C-alpha cells in the first residue's frame, strides 16, 4: 500500500497568514493526488484534484502543487472559515489511501 | 444539485450484519463509480470499497474484504454496503462518495453526510 505522510499534524496561524501543508507519498504517484477539507461535524469536501486543479466553487486562495512524491497545499491568506482538517489522498494504486490529516486553527 | 443520502447505520453486535444504503440524485448514477469511505471517531479517513458504474466490478480494502459487499441498483439510484461479521474496529461514520470516473476509484467529488455504525455488545 502507498503510505501518505502529512505534516504538520496541526498548526495555528493568524488570519491573513500564508499556510502550507505538505504531503509525501511512499512512492512515485505522478500527479494522482487530491486534497480535501473537512470542517467539524461535516463530510469532507474536495478542494484540489490532480495535485493542482482547483475544484469549481473553491476559493482561489487555495492552491496545490507537486508531483512524484512531494505535494503541497497552500492557503494564501487564511480566513476564519478555513478552520478545518485537511487530508491528502492518492489514487495511483488501490487501495486508495489518505494522509493522517492536518488540523488548521486560528491563532 | 447533487445529493447523496446515506441510511441504515446504527448499533450492531460484534459478529452481526447491517446493510447501508445511499440514495443519490442530481447526476446520471450509472455513469460513475461509487465509493464507501469510513471515519472512525476522532480518526482519519479510510477508503472501504468501490463499484463501477455498471456494477460489474468492485474492489475492497483488505480490512473488509470477505466481510463487506458493495452493490448498486441503477434503476433506483441507490448504492449499498452489506456489512457482515462486523468487528469493533468497523465502528465509524460511513460516507458514500461519487467518483469522477466510471470504472476504478480515483476522486471523491461529492460526499453524503454519512451514517454512524457502532459495533458493540
Amino acid at each position: 500500500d502507498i503510505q501518505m505522510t502529512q505534516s504538520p499534524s496541526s498548526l495555528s496561524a493568524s488570519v491573513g497568514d500564508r499556510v502550507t501543508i505538505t504531503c509525501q507519498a511512499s512512492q512515485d504517484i505522478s500527479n494522482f493526488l487530491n486534497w480535501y477539507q473537512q470542517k467539524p461535524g461535516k463530510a469532507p469536501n474536495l478542494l484540489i484534484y490532480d495535485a493542482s486543479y482547483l475544484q469549481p466553487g473553491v476559493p482561489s486562495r487555495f492552491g496545490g502543487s507537486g508531483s512524484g512524491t512531494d505535494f503541497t497545499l497552500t492557503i494564501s491568506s487564511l480566513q476564519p472559515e478555513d478552520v478545518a482538517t485537511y487530508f491528502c489522498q492518492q489514487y495511483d494504486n488501490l487501495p486508495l489511501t489518505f494522509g493522517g490529516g492536518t488540523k488548521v486553527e486560528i491563532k | 444539485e447533487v445529493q447523496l443520502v446515506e441510511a441504515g447505520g446504527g448499533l450492531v453486535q460484534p459478529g452481526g450484519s447491517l446493510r447501508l444504503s445511499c440514495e443519490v440524485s442530481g447526476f446520471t448514477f450509472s455513469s460513475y463509480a461509487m465509493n464507501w469511505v469510513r471515519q472512525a471517531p476522532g480518526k482519519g479517513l479510510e477508503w472501504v470499497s468501490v463499484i463501477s458504474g455498471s456494477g460489474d466490478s468492485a474492489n475492497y480494502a483488505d480490512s473488509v474484504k470477505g466481510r463487506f459487499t458493495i452493490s448498486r441498483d441503477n434503476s433506483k439510484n441507490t448504492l449499498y454496503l452489506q456489512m457482515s461479521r462486523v468487528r469493533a474496529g468497523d465502528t465509524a461514520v460511513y460516507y458514500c462518495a461519487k467518483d469522477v470516473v466510471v470504472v476504478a476509484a480515483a476522486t471523491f467529488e461529492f460526499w453524503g453526510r454519512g451514517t454512524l455504525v457502532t459495533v458493540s455488545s
Side-chain angles (χ1 to χ4, degrees), chain A residues 34 36 38 42-44 46 49 55 87 89 91 94-96 98, chain B residues 37 39 44-47 59 95 105-109 111-113:
Chain A
N34 302 316
Y36 300 87
Q38 186 177 33
K42 301 293 187 181
L46 178 64
Y49 64 95
Q55 177 70 357
F87 295 94
Q89 172 246 324
Y91 61 98
L94 290 180
L96 304 189
F98 292 87
Chain B
V37 178
Q39 186 171 36
L45 299 165
E46 180 188 16
W47 171 79
N59 280 285
Y95 297 101
T107 298
F108 310 119
E109 184 183 20
W111 300 64
R113 293 187 175 184

Side-chain angles (χ1 to χ4, degrees), chain B residues 43-109:
Chain B
K43 302 297 185 182
L45 299 165
E46 180 188 16
W47 171 79
V48 172
S49 183
V50 62
I51 187 168
S52 63
S54 64
D56 60 1
S57 67
N59 280 285
Y60 300 89
D62 284 347
S63 58
V64 306
K65 197 173 295 182
R67 299 188 299 120
F68 291 9
T69 302
I70 192 171
S71 63
R72 64 193 295 160
D73 185 336
N74 287 345
S75 69
K76 295 182 178 180
N77 284 359
T78 303
L79 173 73
Y80 301 99
L81 185 69
Q82 179 67 47
M83 306 170 63
S84 303
R85 292 182 281 135
V86 298
R87 310 164 179 164
D90 296 321
T91 294
V93 173
Y94 284 74
Y95 297 101
C96 63
K98 172 191 175 292
D99 214 301
V100 297
V101 294
V102 64
V103 181
T107 298
F108 310 119
E109 184 183 20

Side-chain angles (χ1 to χ4, degrees), chain A residues 10-20 61 74-83 86 103-107:
Chain A
S10 66
L11 67 89
S12 182
S14 299
V15 173
D17 281 356
R18 183 180 185 88
V19 169
T20 299
R61 63 180 178 275
T74 301
I75 308 174
S76 60
S77 177
L78 186 66
Q79 300 301 305
E81 60 266 33
D82 300 336
V83 168
Y86 295 84
K103 187 174 184 179
V104 174
E105 298 177 325
I106 300 292
K107 193 181 295 183

Side-chain angles (χ1 to χ4, degrees), chain A residues 52-84:
Chain A
S52 61
Y53 294 90
L54 199 65
Q55 177 70 357
V58 173
S60 58
R61 63 180 178 275
F62 290 93
S65 64
S67 66
T69 60
D70 295 302
F71 302 87
T72 300
L73 173 70
T74 301
I75 308 174
S76 60
S77 177
L78 186 66
Q79 300 301 305
E81 60 266 33
D82 300 336
V83 168

